[in-house]
Amino acid sequence: MKSSLVLIMVLSGLGFLPSSFSKFYIYVKQYMSWFNAQTYCRTQYTDLASVQNGQELSQLSQLIDSRLHVWIGLCPDPDSWRWSLQNPVYYGVGEIGFRLWAAGEPNEAYYHKACVAMGSSGEWVDLFCDSIYPFVCYDGTTGTFVFVNQAKSWINAQSYCRQNYTDLASVRNQADNDQLVMLASGNPWSTHIGLYRDSWKWSDGSSAPFTNWDPGVTPTAAYVDMCVASYQGKWINIACNAQMYFVCFVDLAMRKHVVRVVMKNNDSSVEMEELKDDILQKFAQALQDQGLTVDLHLGWVTLPNENVFYAAS
């Protein structure tokens, strides 16, 4: 049962039990690279630590030494292309995956964030998001595209479109692409469209809408051999082969565990079954001594003969 797993981890001095009782963090004080830490966490627990909200960030921050660089589970995902306009109603079957890459594109595989522009031929290229080009917006009110002949970065173009129209243009099919080519005709430069890649994800496969980047870090310009560590309460990207402590987690909502406790009885006159409640109380006291103050219920698994303990051969 869950409580047995929690008991062993906290007594080892490596764990933190969240009040929600769904995710359990384990601080592992062994130096490993990010990938070796990932393998360790997946073998011993669930995975490297993921953080989905402020409460989990607080739990993690209380557990680790903020003076050290400590691996967490955020890592690159170079294949995660998506449109700025996220409304699923706008896309028909298969349209969200429409692509018209030029030969050899996309080629910015070494960067976590890349943005897309359309050339005069109508084919697409990926580029740095701070590249300055005109752009095409989509106006959801009229259902039309609008060419904006102002040179802006992709991010600034996105902001402009969202403030004045609906969003940067999504290209759902060849007909949409042909419209954009006509609108941008005469433009000697490339034209920003709404496709981009922001490829951070958690090791357990979950998305990363919640982040806690250090203000001095530019994660969008990080190479794919960079992974993420917590340092002084913020996240930074560091070469994945660096040797650091790390944090694993156990998803208690998905996994149930029973832990066998081996005890030695040196007094044959003592009946262990009569002491089972006292033993649980001592376990509970040990948890309190480790600083665990949440409501925790421990219990024994009863054997078919209605006993808890049995004599080992």
Side-chain angles (χ1 to χ4, degrees):
M1 55 190 168
K2 299 176 185 176
S3 57
S4 296
L5 176 65
V6 173
L7 169 69
I8 297 301
M9 289 183 176
V10 175
L11 288 179
S12 69
L14 299 176
F16 186 95
L17 180 67
S19 58
S20 63
F21 212 81
S22 62
K23 183 180 287 184
F24 182 82
Y25 290 120
I26 306 97
Y27 185 24
V28 182
K29 297 181 180 180
Q30 299 182 39
Y31 289 107
M32 293 189 187
S33 70
W34 190 94
F35 292 105
N36 287 342
Q38 180 190 53
T39 298
Y40 179 95
C41 290
R42 288 178 172 179
T43 301
Q44 301 294 326
Y45 305 107
T46 297
D47 213 318
L48 269 169
S50 61
V51 180
Q52 298 297 342
N53 51 56
Q55 181 186 18
E56 292 182 357
L57 176 64
S58 176
Q59 293 163 4
L60 185 70
S61 298
Q62 292 178 48
L63 177 64
I64 63 179
D65 187 341
S66 64
R67 298 169 298 177
L68 302 177
H69 294 85
V70 178
W71 287 130
I72 58 175
L74 204 57
C75 60
D77 178 16
D79 298 322
S80 56
W81 292 100
R82 58 180 66 91
W83 292 104
S84 178
L85 179 59
Q86 295 288 308
N87 185 0
V89 178
Y90 182 65
Y91 305 93
V93 177
E95 289 185 336
I96 201 167
F98 178 80
R99 305 288 185 265
L100 198 60
W101 296 112
E105 299 286 343
N107 60 13
E108 293 293 353
Y110 292 102
Y111 288 85
H112 289 303
K113 188 159 189 177
C115 297
V116 176
M118 182 188 69
S120 58
S121 67
E123 295 180 317
W124 306 352
V125 297
D126 64 341
L127 38 73
F128 296 118
C129 295
D130 56 2
S131 302
I132 305 298
Y133 292 119
F135 52 97
V136 179
C137 301
Y138 171 70
D139 186 346
T141 302
T142 61
T144 60
F145 296 117
V146 180
F147 176 69
V148 181
N149 194 17
Q150 300 179 31
K152 295 181 181 291
S153 69
W154 190 94
I155 297 298
N156 289 338
Q158 181 191 52
S159 297
Y160 180 96
C161 291
R162 288 178 172 178
Q163 290 172 8
N164 294 281
Y165 299 100
T166 300
D167 213 319
L168 269 169
S170 295
V171 183
R172 301 167 295 179
N173 47 51
Q174 186 65 55
D176 281 354
N177 205 75
D178 292 344
Q179 288 188 53
L180 266 61
V181 171
M182 292 181 61
L183 285 171
S185 62
N187 169 38
W189 312 104
S190 296
T191 304
H192 286 305
I193 60 175
L195 193 64
Y196 73 103
R197 183 188 68 214
D198 191 2
S199 57
W200 292 107
K201 69 172 184 179
W202 293 105
S203 176
D204 63 4
S206 58
S207 60
F210 178 86
T211 57
N212 186 44
W213 294 110
D214 187 292
V217 169
T218 308
T220 56
Y223 290 97
V224 293
D225 61 351
M226 304 287 279
C227 298
V228 177
S230 178
Y231 177 62
Q232 295 185 343
K234 296 293 183 180
W235 301 350
I236 60 175
N237 43 346
I238 297 179
C240 300
N241 60 1
Q243 304 292 306
M244 304 182 195
Y245 292 173
F246 54 96
V247 181
C248 305
F249 83 96
V250 172
D251 189 346
L252 297 178
M254 296 178 61
R255 299 173 60 181
K256 294 183 179 180
H257 296 261
V258 174
V259 176
R260 179 179 297 173
V261 179
V262 178
M263 309 187 73
K264 185 176 181 181
N265 185 358
N266 293 318
D267 187 346
S268 60
S269 64
V270 173
E271 178 56 55
M272 294 293 291
E273 292 292 330
E274 296 177 358
L275 296 177
K276 61 184 181 183
D277 291 338
D278 292 336
I279 294 171
L280 277 186
Q281 290 180 9
K282 291 186 180 297
F283 282 152
Q285 184 60 54
L287 292 173
Q288 293 178 11
D289 292 343
Q290 292 288 332
L292 183 62
T293 59
V294 298
D295 186 19
L296 177 67
H297 300 282
L298 304 181
W300 296 111
V301 174
T302 303
L303 298 171
N305 64 1
E306 298 185 354
N307 289 330
V308 167
F309 296 99
Y310 68 93
S313 58

